[in-house]
Amino acid sequence: QVQLVESGGGLVQPGQSLRLSCAVSGISVDDYGVGWFRQAPGIEREGVSCISGSDGSTHYADSMKGRFSISRDSAENTVYLQMNSLKPDDTAVYYCAALDPHLGTCRVSKGSEYAYWGQGTQVDVSS
């Protein structure tokens, strides 16, 4: 079965950093694009970043402005989201999801085209 498990969330102060992990099984991150998404209460799901399975190219939402960095470890079949200079507005549940390459190319979106989803990890940015 396909499974994605997020970890690394928690409570951090504004300006600090956090690294989220997305452990993938059942599919290869070298074949499937993996995206990070977030959703805060009362706010629609937002695409944060994605990394292409085919060539590892990365994409980011404009609002991230270089604060976030997505990467993958093929040996671990894991995708990471390094989050720096965190702001209170970054508070949300963060999800990772996998994109079947037959369905499209990795791109930042609301995630409707991503077939497999993790359960999410809570990120709270507060003083």
Side-chain angles (χ1 to χ4, degrees):
Q1 74 279 19
V2 177
Q3 188 174 52
L4 290 81
V5 180
E6 303 93 337
S7 63
L11 175 63
V12 296
Q13 294 181 325
Q16 296 302 109
S17 298
L18 198 64
R19 188 180 75 162
L20 306 182
S21 298
C22 176
V24 179
S25 60
I27 55 174
S28 172
V29 300
D30 291 330
D31 294 325
Y32 285 70
V34 176
W36 283 98
F37 306 83
R38 68 186 186 185
Q39 187 164 24
I43 303 176
E44 65 181 350
R45 187 171 62 203
E46 176 186 22
V48 173
S49 180
C50 67
I51 183 167
S52 172
S54 60
D55 60 8
S57 61
T58 58
H59 306 82
Y60 301 92
D62 290 339
S63 60
M64 301 303 111
K65 298 182 178 180
R67 295 185 298 117
F68 292 5
S69 179
I70 191 170
S71 63
R72 69 185 181 189
D73 186 328
S74 296
E76 297 288 340
N77 207 38
T78 298
V79 173
Y80 303 95
L81 182 68
Q82 178 68 43
M83 305 186 295
N84 299 322
S85 301
L86 284 164
K87 306 174 180 179
D89 286 348
D90 295 320
T91 296
V93 177
Y94 283 72
Y95 300 88
C96 62
L99 174 65
D100 189 325
H102 297 291
L103 297 181
T105 303
C106 170
R107 61 181 179 177
V108 177
S109 70
K110 294 182 179 180
S112 61
E113 68 269 48
Y114 288 71
Y116 308 104
W117 290 80
Q119 293 181 314
T121 185
Q122 178 72 45
V123 172
D124 292 305
V125 185
S126 176
S127 60

